[in-house]
Amino acid sequence: MEKHYSVAIYPPENIIAHIKTMKEQLATNIGWFNSKNSVAHITICEFKVMEKELEKIKLRLFKIADSFTSFQVHLNHFNAYENGAFFIAPNEDSKLNLKPILKKTQEALQLSNLKKSNDPHISIGRRLTPENLKIASQLFTSIDIDFLCNSIVLREFDPIKKQFFVIGTFAFNGNNQPELIQGSLF
C-alpha cells in the first residue's frame, strides 16, 4: 500500500512547545487554521511510496544524515508567503547551513515524486486569509530562537488524525565518507 511520508528537521521539545503555544494564541484570535495542530518542524520534502520501499528510504536517510555535521540554527524573524503561510524564518547564516541539508537529503532519496522545500522555515499557519495574516503579524513581532540541528526525522502521515508522526530519527555524525575511487592493483 502506498503511504505519504515527510522528511523534516525537528527543533527540541521546549521550542516545539513554545511554537504550539503561539499557534494556540493565534487560534484564539482567528479560529482554526491549516497547520494549527502540526508539530513545529522545518520541512525537507514529502513523497508517497509503497511500504515495501520504506527500508531503502530509511537506509538512504541514515547514510546522508550520517555524513552531516551538527550546527546551530538561529530563527530570528517572522515572514509570510503570498499563499497565506505565516512562518518563523532563520537568519542568513542558518539558511546557508540549512539549504545544503535540504538539497542533499532530497537528492539522496532518488525519488521522482518528491515535493521539495527549498526555503527553510517553521510554519505557524498556512492558507491564512490576508486579514488573518495581518492579525498574525501584529500578534507576533519578534522572535529569537536557537537550537542545535543534529538530526532529521522521517514521518508518516496518519490519514485519520490528518497529521504526520515520527517513524525514524537519523543523527548527524559528521562521517564524511570518501568517494570510492577504483584503482589499479599493479
Side-chain angles (χ1 to χ4, degrees), residues 16-82:
I16 288 173
H18 176 67
I19 293 170
K20 182 178 182 182
T21 302
M22 293 171 67
K23 290 181 178 208
E24 289 167 358
Q25 185 180 354
L26 182 58
T28 300
N29 284 271
I30 68 170
W32 185 89
F33 55 88
N34 281 292
S35 83
K36 178 195 174 291
N37 297 319
S38 175
V39 173
H41 65 279
I42 297 172
T43 301
I44 295 175
C45 59
E46 290 185 27
F47 55 91
K48 290 182 179 177
V49 294
M50 300 300 282
E51 281 183 272
K52 65 182 181 190
E53 300 291 315
L54 200 54
E55 287 312 308
K56 275 194 255 179
I57 299 290
K58 286 180 177 179
L59 184 59
R60 290 176 188 156
L61 289 173
F62 170 80
K63 284 182 177 178
I64 194 67
D66 189 55
S67 73
F68 295 146
T69 302
S70 301
F71 60 94
Q72 284 294 126
V73 172
H74 185 80
L75 304 162
N76 68 350
H77 63 284
F78 294 99
N79 207 340
Y81 294 128
E82 286 185 18

